[in-house]
Amino acid sequence: MGYEERNTWVGLVGSVIAMAVYTIAVLQQADGGPLTEVVWWPIMLWTIGIGVVVMIVSSILWGIVAGMRDPEGATRSDLRDRDISRMGSRVGQAFLAIAGVGVIVLCAIGADRFWIANTMFFGFALSAFVGGLASVIAYRRGLV
C-alpha cells in the first residue's frame, strides 16, 4: 500500500470516527431536550482539532511502520496516485457544494445557528468521507 492510499484510509476512518464522536457528544449533552439548546461549538471545535491531530499522528505512525517494511516504497507516489487523489477531491467537493447550498437555504429561512453550523460541519465531514471512499474504490478497482 502506497503513501497516498495510506493517507486516504486514515482520512476515511478518521472522518467516520469524528462524525460519530461529535454526534454522540451532542446527543448526550442534549439529554432528550431540544438540540438547539446544546452548546455545540466547543464540542465541534474540539472534535475538529483532535480529529486533525489524531489523523496526522496516525498517518505518521503508519508511515513509520510501512517504512520499516519497505523503505523505498513507503513515501513514493506516482501518476496513478495523483489521478486518484484528484478524482476523490472532485467527488468530495460535490458534496461540499451541496452543503454550501443547504447553508444558504437555512440562512434564508432564518434557521437556528445550530442547524446552519451542523449542516456545514457534516458537509465537510461527508465531503471527506465520500471523497475518501471514492479514492479507496479507485485504488481497489482502478480508475474508469
Side-chain angles (χ1 to χ4, degrees), residues 6-59:
R6 281 195 318 270
N7 287 337
T8 301
W9 274 106
V10 167
L12 184 64
V13 172
S15 64
V16 170
I17 292 171
M19 284 191 290
V21 166
Y22 176 76
T23 302
I24 290 168
V26 167
L27 290 176
Q28 280 181 341
Q29 198 169 55
D31 198 25
L35 290 174
T36 54
E37 292 183 11
V38 172
V39 182
W40 51 268
W41 63 269
I43 301 169
M44 184 181 290
L45 293 178
W46 278 108
T47 301
I48 293 169
I50 292 172
V52 167
V53 169
V54 167
M55 284 189 235
I56 290 171
V57 170
S58 299
S59 180

